[in-house]
Amino acid sequence: HFTLLHTDEGHHALKYLYDRGIDLEFIQLFSIGLAPKEGRILNGVMKEKGFAPPLLVEAGLLKKQGYPFFSDRITFPILDAAGHLVGFSARKYKESTEGPKYINTPDTPLFKKSHILYGLNYSRQRIAKEKKVLIVEGQIDALRLIQSGLNFTVAGQGTAFTEEGAKQLMQLGVAHAYLALDGDNAGQQATIKIGHFFQKEGVEVTVIEMPSDADPDSLLKD
């Protein structure tokens, strides 16, 4: 978070976020950050704090070769339902950055991709009170909706919303699930899969249709 807000490298990433309509309030509210391109920074800070490389590998912060797992990417903290930091999702903001658009912390003793609903720590109380949930596909979509007052929103990790995630929501008493996934083919397939999970358990499902080139984030900005 400090790197994003207070370094020259961070200012380029900030411009990218501002151009996408993500303002400083959003960045500070959700502790958005930047994993710098220079890997020695992470290693130096972790050494200073007394964390040995084997532990950093186990936590998903270092690769086995000693290089940072996240580099040259904007980072989004992943919190569990109680608000504890368990991993990161990281997005590239430059075409020159290697790898896919998003990468997530690999499975660790703390982070199990199939068990984490993104945004649940912000939305858990209202979901339990009102017995409804809005499910979206992307982290930015979820955070944008939560910031806008729809704090009964969660997202899977990409389209990877699992039956485990559905069970967590049903344990909160969810009786109605609203699905607002992206309008592309992957989003439509995920909608069918998630809807089937809930309908099997008697949960009412409403599908919010998205244009094929839209997602909840883009609709909110419009």
Side-chain angles (χ1 to χ4, degrees), residues 4 8 28 30 35 48 54 70 72 79-80 95 149 155 197 217:
L4 178 65
D8 290 340
Q28 292 178 325
F30 298 115
E48 185 178 299
F70 300 106
D72 204 23
L79 309 178
D80 66 14
E95 287 301 321
F197 283 157
D217 177 38

Side-chain angles (χ1 to χ4, degrees), residues 146-162:
I146 290 166
Q147 185 191 30
S148 299
L150 298 174
N151 56 331
F152 57 97
T153 303
V154 298
Q157 303 300 315
T159 55
F161 188 98
T162 64

Side-chain angles (χ1 to χ4, degrees), residues 196-217:
H196 181 62
F197 283 157
F198 283 117
Q199 288 180 326
K200 279 196 309 182
E201 301 296 331
V203 175
E204 185 177 355
V205 175
T206 298
V207 176
I208 301 169
E209 291 190 28
M210 290 284 172
S212 59
D213 60 346
D215 56 32
D217 177 38

Side-chain angles (χ1 to χ4, degrees), residues 46-64:
M46 292 296 101
K47 184 177 180 180
E48 185 178 299
K49 292 183 176 293
F51 297 118
L55 181 61
L56 300 178
V57 171
E58 190 176 11
L61 292 173
L62 283 186
K63 300 176 182 178
K64 289 182 179 178

Side-chain angles (χ1 to χ4, degrees), residues 17-38:
L17 290 170
Y18 290 157
D19 288 346
R20 286 203 60 183
I22 295 173
D23 59 18
L24 185 60
E25 179 188 358
F26 182 100
I27 290 165
Q28 292 178 325
L29 178 63
F30 298 115
S31 300
I32 311 304
L34 176 70
K37 189 172 183 178
E38 176 52 68

Side-chain angles (χ1 to χ4, degrees), residues 102-157:
Y102 278 97
I103 58 173
N104 294 319
T105 295
D107 275 2
T108 72
L110 288 176
F111 177 71
K112 295 289 186 284
K113 184 176 179 179
S114 62
H115 293 188
I116 297 292
L117 289 174
Y118 195 82
L120 184 59
N121 58 299
Y122 301 109
S123 299
R124 189 174 187 273
Q125 186 173 358
R126 187 170 174 187
I127 290 171
K129 180 180 179 181
E130 299 184 10
K131 312 300 181 189
K132 65 182 181 182
V133 63
L134 173 60
I135 298 171
V136 298
E137 188 172 319
Q139 288 97 337
I140 292 179
D141 293 333
L143 296 182
R144 179 91 68 175
L145 290 164
I146 290 166
Q147 185 191 30
S148 299
L150 298 174
N151 56 331
F152 57 97
T153 303
V154 298
Q157 303 300 315

